[in-house]
Amino acid sequence: MPINVKTAGFATTIQDLGRPGYYHLGIPMGGAMDRFALRCANMLVGNDEGAAGLECVFMGPELEFTEDSVVAVTGGDLPPKLDGEVLESWTAIEVKAGQVLTFDYLRSGARAYIAFAGGIDTPPALGSRSTYPIGALGGVEGRAIQPGDVLPLGKAATAAKTGANIPEDMRRMPEKTARLRILPGLYAHRITDAAAKRFYDETWKVASEADRMGYRFKGGTPLEFVDREPPFGAGSDPSNITDACYPYGSVQVPSGTEPIILHRDAVSGGGYFMIGTVISADMDLIGQLQPNVETQFVQVDMETALTARRERADALDKVRAHLA
């Protein structure tokens, strides 16, 4: 049951929940930037939560269906249109053979997710269909979709309930000023106490350099570093360290000026100090931030981070129970 790609939108890629287990080899886990949204889309159409769908950035593709299907669009508010008729997001939509799915303009958020009953059935690479363009893995020949591509679909795990909907109070999008919670990192001691306080007190803005590898932020005060004798191999810039591993969500501040949060397709290590790491519960929010969105970094402890992780798991359980 293939889908014909008429237009591709902007940086539309095939994504599932990623390929864990290869980070030590320099291959990131990848997968959906907003994992919660992808899981919800798959639940709506009767798929396994980790099935492959499309991740759309800012604008959607134009897709022609060759057979009947069920689709769902979640994440950023990118209203789907079937043969020109605007329909509801976060809802299981019945599609007939020959119909064309397009999208209205983006109203909020940055990334929308399209799930199809049966999931996209392109060949997996290292156990995942997620597109990793730098490594030419997954997706369609290791790249984003293009006009003329044909997307094969598999068989749904369960029958979709057309019209099923996830209500707004079960969704999660960033607030007007996004709040990203951070655990202090191993290298937080490299900056002065006053600099750390300003970092968390000030409001930053998402810069234009924001993609699957990382999000840069601007507008805050440059950091002040504690004087030191640079260790061998670290370099003279005070923000440099001897090369170390980067966990997902690491917050680098090259030269102490503009923080960069490393995301799904980021490198696994390097020589910039990390002021901290965004907690796992808030990583999905980053993928929904548009350039110039105001952002506040909030320092938390491990107990708070673990509580937030449990709350995210509970939120998924509520969606599962709602759709059962």
Side-chain angles (χ1 to χ4, degrees), residues 52-263:
L54 292 178
E55 178 180 87
C56 312
V57 185
F58 299 142
M59 59 187 298
E62 180 180 356
L63 307 173
E64 179 185 45
F65 289 76
T66 61
E67 294 186 27
D68 296 354
S69 186
V70 178
V71 302
V73 180
T74 61
D77 190 1
L78 188 69
K81 299 194 294 185
L82 198 57
D83 289 345
E85 179 186 356
V86 179
L87 301 174
E88 291 291 325
S89 298
W90 297 80
T91 300
I93 301 169
E94 184 178 14
V95 181
K96 297 295 184 182
Q99 289 192 297
V100 176
L101 179 69
T102 58
F103 293 84
D104 207 343
Y105 65 89
L106 182 71
R107 297 173 183 173
S108 65
R111 287 172 172 79
Y113 293 84
I114 312 171
F116 310 89
I120 296 176
D121 196 23
T122 48
L126 300 180
S128 170
R129 296 180 172 85
S130 286
T131 310
Y132 178 45
I134 295 174
L137 295 174
V140 179
E141 300 175 353
R143 57 164 171 80
I145 66 170
Q146 296 177 358
D149 284 342
V150 176
L151 306 179
L153 298 184
K155 184 177 181 180
T158 60
K161 299 177 182 177
T162 302
N165 173 272
I166 297 175
E168 288 191 21
D169 62 359
M170 290 188 181
R171 310 169 194 175
R172 189 191 186 204
M173 294 292 288
E175 301 170 358
K176 186 176 180 180
T177 297
R179 297 175 72 257
L180 300 178
R181 291 168 287 186
I182 292 177
L183 274 172
L186 294 175
Y187 300 91
H189 66 281
R190 288 289 307 113
I191 60 174
T192 65
D193 291 342
K197 185 177 187 306
R198 280 194 301 270
F199 177 83
Y200 291 109
D201 285 346
E202 292 180 335
T203 298
W204 300 77
K205 285 188 176 181
V206 178
S208 58
E209 303 92 336
D211 57 24
R212 291 187 50 81
M213 290 189 68
Y215 264 60
R216 185 185 292 268
F217 294 80
K218 61 184 181 180
T221 303
L223 301 179
E224 298 171 347
F225 288 86
V226 176
D227 290 336
R228 64 157 185 184
E229 182 71 27
F232 177 78
S236 59
D237 192 295
S239 68
N240 291 154
I241 57 172
T242 304
D243 281 9
C245 298
Y246 293 152
Y248 287 108
S250 292
V251 186
Q252 307 174 344
V253 195
S255 297
T257 56
E258 295 182 340
I260 301 172
I261 299 176
L262 302 185
H263 220 285

Side-chain angles (χ1 to χ4, degrees), residues 265-284:
D265 286 356
V267 295
S268 58
Y272 288 120
F273 100 109
M274 295 153 277
I275 192 171
T277 303
V278 175
I279 67 173
S280 61
D282 288 354
M283 288 294 285
D284 288 348

